[in-house]
Amino acid sequence: MPLHRCFATIATVSCFVLAVAVKPAAGQIPQLPDTIFYSAPQPSWTGHLTSLAANTFLGALTGGVVQELRGGSFKDGFTRGALGGAITYVGKRVASERFDGAGLLGRQVGAFGSGLVRNAADGVPSFDRFVVPLGPGRLYVERGGDRSFQFQPKLDLLATAWIVYGVVEPDLHFDAGSSLSAGAAIFRTRDKVMSHAEGDRRVGGFANAGVVFLSDVPAWGKPFLDGAFSHERVHIVQEDQIFLTLTDPIEDWVLHRVPGGRHIARWFDLNASTELFRLTGGLFSSVRERPWEMEASYLSR
Amino acid sequence: MGNGSKLPFALIVALSAGLSGACYDFHDPAFPESGAPVVLHTNLRVTEQRGVQLEAFLTPGLDQDGFSREVETEVIVLMGSAVGPRRVREQDVREYVDSVALADRIGVQPVTLSSPRVRRIQAPPPEIRWFVPQRLDPDTIAVDAGSDLVLRVLPEAAASSPAPQIRQWSVQVTGESTVFTAGSNGLVPAEIRIPAYWLPAPDSADRLRAVLTVYMAGLQRPAPGDYMANINLDTRLTWNIRIRR
């Protein structure tokens, strides 16, 4: 078996074993129906199956359609994109778990899956390019013509801007331990509840370009605070997914056509993933109806 | 990086300045009163089709020092089955939605429920053992045209404990296009007799449908009063009635 196929098999099997083996969320009673369709309780696997199917389909469609538009094979892009989408689901599932480092591990697994979708869309071999998200930056790993790997770090401009905001905002403080565990910058309030400046919807947290702000109100209790943090970790993986598969290719395409843009694209990512979520969020009448919120709420319940 | 070298840093500065001006507002949290009792609000519905359906909310609240109370055993035990919370909301409010199948006909077994246990609460978790009415007729009965309709029930197989503070019942007989309704408070009578002249006209297949709804409710607050359970229970019994001509 060729090395890359062997690696693919091991990676896929490992991811699914990981997804199945992880413990149920804290406070949940195993084997209880916790998915509700049309007011009827269903076993929990139906919700996971829905999320898995949606991610697989999204990956397959992205891989297939983009490769077709580039003059490649829809079937090849669809198949490899489906695998990448399924692994992205595993990343979200792991990121939502309640153990230390779950966010970091889940984010890497999710980025690996999204990288497969991106490779499928671009028509390049599945394991010739990887993206490793590290806080407000990413390490792009690419196999060169001589089969050796080349490394290119990039700084995420929007994530950096949100970190600067978190540092200068007096009502927020940086949580180093949670950041290390989540693999992303985490800021917390001191006994304050956050709301959007333009509205008055008070929330447990926000995720913007992989930077999380949490309303840390101790009286809400640990189960709720853990749930809110888990919810935002799923959003981090979702933002990576949308960035790597949809917005980054467009950003790179645009930057390669403006003066000096090629050099900027080499060292920096703009990251419009959160903005894309914000724009499409307007299509839904309430926040709860947004598919990415439903997924995050379900996985972090 | 040539001409674009300063652009990324300018972008970060501009974005940061923009974000800090119009991002988030920070508010003081609103809390339940410190020292207020734990509250369990429960709605139960008993039907032949779906057994015992539960919808409940547990609000552990804050202790005297203003700290969130810890839920020791977060399951509600309904008819002997453990029901865990479907989700945990702000302020540790636990939401329960589930159903438990009945092992026997409605009313043969009591509806039992034990509340979750909360740490450092002195009152015992409220419990109920309520007997709901039992239909004594088969699910389909035949009535001669022009005769009174008689529905027979066993109001309570044994005494409910603790006794519900509120009991109401109503019977609804549905025909082709009209509905007859009667009801009262108190224990449902063992025999509900509906005179023939009040019965609605049957449908084209000479059939009527009667639904008896019995509502029981009670507020339990065992001493010393730091745990309160508000329990509502609806039972629905159905008769299919064939008019014999």
Side-chain angles (χ1 to χ4, degrees):
Chain A
M1 182 185 285
L3 185 62
H4 71 277
R5 282 198 182 170
C6 181
F7 183 34
T9 308
I10 292 169
T12 309
V13 171
S14 305
C15 284
F16 280 104
V17 167
L18 196 58
V20 171
V22 285
K23 289 186 293 184
Q28 294 294 316
I29 308 302
Q31 296 169 339
L32 281 179
D34 56 0
T35 304
I36 307 294
F37 287 122
Y38 301 108
S39 303
Q42 304 290 333
S44 68
W45 60 262
T46 54
H48 286 293
L49 190 67
T50 306
S51 177
L52 171 65
N55 282 285
T56 304
F57 183 67
L58 189 64
L61 206 62
T62 307
V65 169
V66 176
Q67 193 180 139
E68 172 85 16
L69 289 174
R70 287 173 178 273
S73 157
F74 178 84
K75 187 179 168 187
D76 173 65
F78 189 89
T79 312
R80 291 197 286 140
L83 175 66
I87 293 175
T88 305
Y89 155 77
V90 176
K92 293 174 185 176
R93 174 93 166 84
V94 173
S96 68
E97 289 300 322
R98 306 293 207 268
F99 60 84
D100 289 340
L104 176 65
L105 180 61
R107 195 176 183 196
Q108 302 311 320
V109 173
F112 175 71
S114 298
L116 290 183
V117 176
R118 176 84 173 265
N119 291 343
D122 291 347
V124 302
S126 293
F127 302 103
D128 273 14
R129 291 191 314 203
F130 303 91
V131 182
V132 182
L134 296 167
R138 293 178 190 82
L139 184 65
Y140 289 76
V141 184
E142 187 163 1
R143 198 197 295 264
D146 59 353
R147 311 299 289 166
S148 65
F149 284 104
Q150 295 166 348
F151 300 90
Q152 177 63 51
K154 288 191 191 187
L155 183 68
D156 186 319
L157 291 180
L158 209 60
T160 309
W162 279 110
I163 288 174
V164 172
Y165 167 74
V167 170
V168 299
E169 170 56 58
D171 281 313
L172 291 168
H173 71 276
F174 181 65
D175 183 340
S178 296
S179 299
L180 192 64
S181 174
I186 308 296
F187 292 86
R188 291 180 187 272
T189 65
R190 291 183 179 85
D191 207 13
K192 295 276 185 184
V193 188
M194 288 189 294
S195 72
H196 263 303
E198 69 266 25
D200 195 33
R201 198 173 65 82
R202 301 179 184 207
V203 296
F206 289 104
N208 293 294
V211 179
V212 170
F213 304 109
L214 290 169
S215 297
D216 196 2
V217 180
W220 280 351
K222 195 171 180 304
F224 178 79
L225 295 175
D226 287 349
F229 186 25
S230 167
H231 180 104
E232 299 307 327
R233 291 198 301 268
V234 176
H235 281 326
I236 294 173
V237 183
Q238 290 170 335
E239 286 169 348
D240 285 342
Q241 178 184 21
I242 294 303
F243 170 75
L244 290 171
T245 60
L246 293 176
T247 60
D248 187 43
I250 297 170
E251 288 168 21
D252 282 352
W253 185 87
V254 171
L255 282 173
H256 280 73
R257 278 156 185 79
V258 298
R262 190 177 294 273
H263 299 291
I264 294 172
R266 184 177 175 198
W267 293 98
F268 300 97
D269 287 324
L270 185 57
N271 193 356
S273 60
T274 308
E275 298 313 308
L276 186 63
F277 277 122
R278 200 160 288 153
L279 282 172
T280 47
L283 299 171
F284 302 92
S285 58
S286 79
V287 172
R288 286 167 190 267
E289 288 179 12
R290 297 173 184 170
W292 53 94
E293 291 294 347
M294 290 164 73
E295 181 181 53
S297 297
Y298 183 77
L299 292 176
S300 63
R301 78 214 182 280
Chain B
M1 286 184 277
N3 295 336
S5 61
K6 289 180 182 168
L7 183 59
F9 303 106
L11 270 173
I12 291 174
V13 172
L15 287 168
S16 305
L19 298 176
S20 58
C23 282
Y24 301 122
D25 287 334
F26 298 85
H27 313 270
D28 287 323
F31 292 127
E33 190 184 339
S34 294
V38 177
V39 177
L40 177 70
H41 184 85
T42 307
N43 291 321
L44 294 161
R45 172 172 286 188
V46 184
T47 57
E48 283 158 327
Q49 294 80 21
R50 303 184 68 174
V52 184
Q53 292 170 265
L54 166 77
E55 184 186 77
F57 297 92
L58 175 72
T59 308
L62 305 179
D63 63 17
Q64 296 288 359
D65 301 319
F67 292 104
S68 186
R69 291 197 182 99
E70 193 180 340
V71 180
E72 187 179 345
T73 313
E74 60 182 3
V75 294
I76 290 176
V77 181
L78 177 66
M79 310 293 288
S81 298
V83 176
R86 189 173 73 166
R87 65 179 177 133
V88 181
R89 295 176 166 189
E90 276 180 25
Q91 293 164 4
D92 270 3
V93 173
R94 282 151 170 82
E95 180 183 325
Y96 302 82
V97 178
D98 208 342
S99 59
V100 174
L102 286 168
D104 212 327
R105 293 174 60 197
I106 291 178
V108 175
Q109 287 180 316
V111 174
T112 60
L113 181 143
S114 300
S115 309
R117 192 173 289 278
V118 180
R119 274 195 212 285
R120 290 193 281 179
I121 288 294
Q122 293 174 26
E127 293 181 347
I128 61 159
R129 182 181 162 81
W130 286 355
F131 281 90
V132 298
Q134 189 179 338
R135 191 186 61 218
L136 295 180
D137 301 309
D139 60 356
T140 302
I141 56 175
V143 176
D144 291 331
S147 301
D148 295 350
L149 171 64
V150 179
L151 306 174
R152 294 181 311 120
V153 295
L154 177 64
E156 239 183 358
S160 292
S161 159
Q165 291 148 339
I166 299 171
R167 289 179 192 262
Q168 290 172 346
W169 63 272
S170 70
V171 66
Q172 200 169 54
V173 184
T174 310
E176 187 170 48
S177 58
T178 52
V179 178
F180 168 81
T181 305
S184 178
N185 57 357
L187 205 61
V188 63
E191 186 180 288
I192 302 169
R193 178 176 292 273
I194 301 166
Y197 51 84
W198 276 344
L199 289 178
D203 62 16
S204 55
D206 264 349
R207 286 182 183 275
L208 295 170
R209 180 182 163 87
V211 177
L212 172 66
T213 304
V214 177
Y215 173 68
M216 302 159 81
L219 182 68
Q220 289 189 49
R221 195 170 182 175
D226 49 4
Y227 201 138
M228 194 162 71
N230 176 28
I231 299 171
N232 301 293
L233 170 60
D234 251 339
T235 305
R236 289 190 184 190
L237 299 173
T238 307
W239 284 258
N240 297 306
I241 302 146
R242 189 164 54 81
I243 304 295
R244 204 162 38 205
R245 295 193 186 273

